[in-house]
Amino acid sequence: MKTINIIGSGNVAYHLIENINTLPDFRLQQVAVRSKEKVLDLVSGDLIVTDIKNLKPADLTIIAVTDDAIKLVSDEIPYQNHLVVHTSGTTSMQMLNDKNRKGVFYPLQTFSKSRSVDFKNIPLCLETEQENDLKCLKVLAQQMSDKVYEISSEQRKSLHVSAVFVSNFVNHMYAIGDKICEENNIPFEILHPLIQETAVKITSLSPEEAQTGPAIRHDEKTITTHQNFLTNETFKNIYKLITESIQNV
Amino acid sequence: MKTINIIGSGNVAYHLIENINTLPDFRLQQVAVRSKEKVLDLVSGDLIVTDIKNLKPADLTIIAVTDDAIKLVSDEIPYQNHLVVHTSGTTSMQMLNDKNRKGVFYPLQTFSKSRSVDFKNIPLCLETEQENDLKCLKVLAQQMSDKVYEISSEQRKSLHVSAVFVSNFVNHMYAIGDKICEENNIPFEILHPLIQETAVKITSLSPEEAQTGPAIRHDEKTITTHQNFLTNETFKNIYKLITESIQNV
């Protein structure tokens, strides 16, 4: 039975704790948080510390805090020569303090506390300095998820940029659609099936094959009509730029 | 039993024919296409005409051709005083020739011939000049789909612009993510779960509530890192513009 310490209480930390609680071969040893209330529904009070200095050594320590805090938090860990990983898509593994063995455990998913997630379907991107630590991390990852990848710090950086495009920017496209619907008294739900089909389509076609619409058809008449329709200057510029990009890929 | 003529053999026409063949209260009377081969797997040869002039009057005629051809095709219909609709998201109902009663039957979905679609889940946007025709169109639409909406020409125009954002532009975000992955030897499938979750999320949260990522967090350090990472100028400009838009909504 391996022991795990978690530092943090944000969305990633919360879902990790929830999941570790269900694993037979791993035991949540301690959780370090700023305020106890955030995880009291998942962890019994005696396992929670509010000062990182009070953590006891564990086989694995997972730092699930904001990117800016990773360095500081890893400096404060009171033990050494143990495996310490962070969960960030953008932070280099080298940002972790040298006193412990370094690694990364990056779950590539968008987390909201209010939505439960099926960890089995979340790609876990692993990286460690030492080969042996990778084995340990893999055992944990494979108990949590069916999708485990070895991804270097350099690859992870590019993966995070891709994720911003396919998730954050995609969601903003939804937000613009929502706003246009609202202004024209159309229920946004009318677009839900199209949104779902567009997302499902690329599991069987490449995005290039799946591209439809006035831009790829070079239907300049419709493109002009749409641009004239848009009164919001930012939306108009986005329409223009993405249309050009579709036509030039 | 009402009769239906279909003009066209593109993706929308194809899926409509496929669906009408399954309905008990409607009968496909004739199909007008340029080349017979395209629909021979769905329609027996004697029902197919290659000249619109050879169509016989039907209770409903559905013009499912490219936007530019709608006017011409509706001019060529050899009968009058029957209900004739088009299936376009962008074309005004008034584009149809005055000799017949006008309407619109716009299925709001992205169609590929190679993917079968579940019509039950496709929103059908209806519009007619005459109240009685709307009733007829509704009967057909409700047998095909659970999602039937009355949408005016003006609303349909805005709906189509929204659809370009939430589907065509979203797919282009996928294409950019795919490209970045490819350049860094990462399998694009690693992003599939994130893509699916991002799409499913907005069925329970508004896009505004669902927004995550460096832009909405005003995480300028990550934003700068990402922009420096992107060597493709167009992708860099898209990153910049959408980030600004997320921050200003």
Side-chain angles (χ1 to χ4, degrees):
Chain A
M1 176 83 80
K2 300 248 182 190
T3 53
I4 300 180
N5 285 343
I6 302 256
I7 304 174
S9 60
N11 289 333
V12 174
Y14 189 92
H15 286 293
L16 276 175
I17 294 169
E18 204 177 16
N19 195 271
I20 291 167
N21 279 340
T22 69
L23 301 180
D25 299 341
F26 293 86
R27 183 172 61 82
L28 189 69
Q29 179 177 280
Q30 281 178 296
V31 178
V33 293
R34 276 201 218 127
S35 55
K36 287 197 173 198
E37 297 71 39
K38 284 200 171 173
V39 290
L40 264 179
D41 56 330
L42 290 180
V43 189
S44 82
D46 55 319
L47 301 185
I48 307 174
V49 299
T50 50
D51 187 343
I52 294 173
K53 300 237 155 33
N54 293 329
L55 285 176
K56 281 165 233 147
D59 296 312
L60 171 64
T61 303
I62 303 179
I63 301 179
V65 299
T66 56
D67 293 356
D68 286 343
I70 289 172
K71 193 188 170 315
L72 192 73
V73 161
S74 83
D75 292 346
E76 282 184 357
I77 292 175
Y79 40 88
Q80 45 198 340
N81 300 325
H82 285 75
L83 178 57
V84 173
V85 302
H86 71 62
T87 58
S88 163
T90 39
T91 308
S92 161
M93 182 169 68
Q94 296 309 329
M95 196 61 86
L96 295 166
N97 189 298
D98 288 333
K99 68 186 163 191
N100 281 296
R101 303 192 312 273
K102 302 169 189 181
V104 177
F105 187 95
Y106 169 45
L108 180 52
Q109 188 51 283
T110 166
F111 293 95
S112 309
K113 224 169 217 170
S114 60
R115 277 184 62 83
S116 73
V117 288
D118 175 14
F119 245 88
K120 279 280 162 219
N121 197 31
I122 295 179
L124 298 175
C125 306
L126 310 183
E127 183 183 12
T128 58
E129 272 187 319
Q130 298 186 18
E131 193 59 33
N132 262 347
D133 287 333
L134 188 64
K135 275 184 211 152
C136 159
L137 221 48
K138 260 193 189 163
V139 172
L140 173 66
Q142 284 166 349
Q143 288 197 11
M144 283 184 166
S145 166
D146 294 330
K147 302 176 186 212
V148 178
Y149 298 84
E150 275 176 60
I151 296 286
S152 71
S153 278
E154 202 46 47
Q155 284 179 312
R156 190 158 34 81
K157 199 168 147 185
S158 65
L159 196 52
H160 192 251
V161 180
S162 302
V164 167
F165 278 94
V166 306
S167 177
N168 306 152
F169 289 179
V170 159
N171 186 72
H172 189 57
M173 297 299 111
Y174 300 157
I176 294 175
D178 187 16
K179 204 149 189 211
I180 296 171
C181 280
E182 200 191 331
E183 284 167 4
N184 293 277
N185 297 314
I186 300 166
F188 183 56
E189 306 94 76
I190 201 173
L191 289 168
H192 285 179
L194 177 63
I195 286 171
Q196 304 311 321
E197 170 67 9
T198 304
V200 171
K201 217 173 175 178
I202 51 102
T203 61
S204 61
L205 296 174
S206 75
E208 207 189 323
E209 293 166 325
Q211 190 66 57
T212 57
I216 193 73
R217 285 200 313 271
H218 289 262
D219 176 352
E220 299 303 331
K221 210 173 108 192
T222 301
I223 293 169
T224 308
T225 308
H226 284 182
Q227 288 182 359
N228 292 338
F229 171 87
L230 291 163
T231 49
N232 179 309
E233 277 306 312
T234 307
F235 296 173
K236 201 195 282 264
N237 287 336
I238 290 176
Y239 191 101
K240 248 173 147 162
L241 190 57
I242 299 184
T243 294
E244 278 167 27
S245 184
I246 290 174
Q247 296 182 338
N248 291 330
V249 156
Chain B
M1 175 84 78
K2 299 249 184 191
T3 54
I4 300 180
N5 285 343
I6 302 259
I7 304 174
S9 60
N11 290 333
V12 174
Y14 190 91
H15 286 292
L16 276 175
I17 293 169
E18 204 178 16
N19 194 272
I20 290 167
N21 279 339
T22 70
L23 301 180
D25 298 340
F26 294 86
R27 182 172 62 80
L28 188 68
Q29 179 176 282
Q30 281 176 297
V31 178
V33 294
R34 275 199 220 130
S35 54
K36 286 197 173 197
E37 298 70 39
K38 284 200 171 174
V39 290
L40 264 180
D41 57 327
L42 289 181
V43 188
S44 81
D46 56 318
L47 302 186
I48 307 173
V49 299
T50 51
D51 187 344
I52 294 172
K53 299 238 155 36
N54 292 329
L55 286 175
K56 283 165 231 146
D59 295 312
L60 170 65
T61 302
I62 303 180
I63 300 178
V65 300
T66 55
D67 293 357
D68 286 343
I70 290 172
K71 191 187 172 313
L72 191 74
V73 160
S74 82
D75 292 348
E76 281 184 356
I77 292 175
Y79 40 88
Q80 46 198 336
N81 299 326
H82 285 76
L83 178 57
V84 173
V85 302
H86 71 62
T87 58
S88 163
T90 39
T91 308
S92 160
M93 181 168 67
Q94 295 310 326
M95 197 60 85
L96 295 165
N97 188 298
D98 288 333
K99 67 186 164 193
N100 281 298
R101 304 192 313 269
K102 302 170 189 180
V104 177
F105 188 93
Y106 169 45
L108 180 52
Q109 187 51 281
T110 166
F111 292 96
S112 310
K113 225 169 215 169
S114 61
R115 278 184 61 84
S116 73
V117 288
D118 175 14
F119 245 89
K120 280 280 162 219
N121 197 31
I122 295 180
L124 298 175
C125 306
L126 310 183
E127 182 182 13
T128 58
E129 274 187 318
Q130 297 187 18
E131 192 61 31
N132 261 346
D133 288 332
L134 188 64
K135 275 184 211 154
C136 159
L137 220 48
K138 260 193 189 163
V139 172
L140 173 67
Q142 283 164 349
Q143 288 197 10
M144 285 184 164
S145 167
D146 294 331
K147 303 178 184 209
V148 177
Y149 298 84
E150 275 176 62
I151 296 285
S152 71
S153 279
E154 203 47 47
Q155 284 179 311
R156 188 156 34 80
K157 198 168 147 184
S158 65
L159 195 52
H160 192 252
V161 180
S162 302
V164 167
F165 279 94
V166 305
S167 177
N168 305 152
F169 289 178
V170 159
N171 186 74
H172 189 57
M173 298 299 111
Y174 301 157
I176 295 175
D178 187 15
K179 205 148 186 211
I180 296 170
C181 281
E182 199 191 330
E183 284 167 3
N184 293 277
N185 298 315
I186 300 166
F188 183 56
E189 306 93 74
I190 201 173
L191 289 168
H192 284 178
L194 176 63
I195 286 172
Q196 303 312 321
E197 170 66 11
T198 304
V200 171
K201 217 173 177 179
I202 51 101
T203 61
S204 61
L205 297 173
S206 76
E208 207 188 322
E209 292 165 326
Q211 190 66 56
T212 57
I216 194 75
R217 285 201 312 270
H218 289 262
D219 175 353
E220 299 302 331
K221 210 173 108 194
T222 301
I223 293 169
T224 307
T225 309
H226 284 182
Q227 287 182 358
N228 292 338
F229 171 86
L230 291 164
T231 49
N232 179 311
E233 277 306 311
T234 308
F235 296 172
K236 201 194 281 265
N237 287 336
I238 291 176
Y239 191 102
K240 249 174 147 161
L241 190 56
I242 299 184
T243 294
E244 278 167 28
S245 184
I246 290 173
Q247 295 183 338
N248 291 329
V249 154

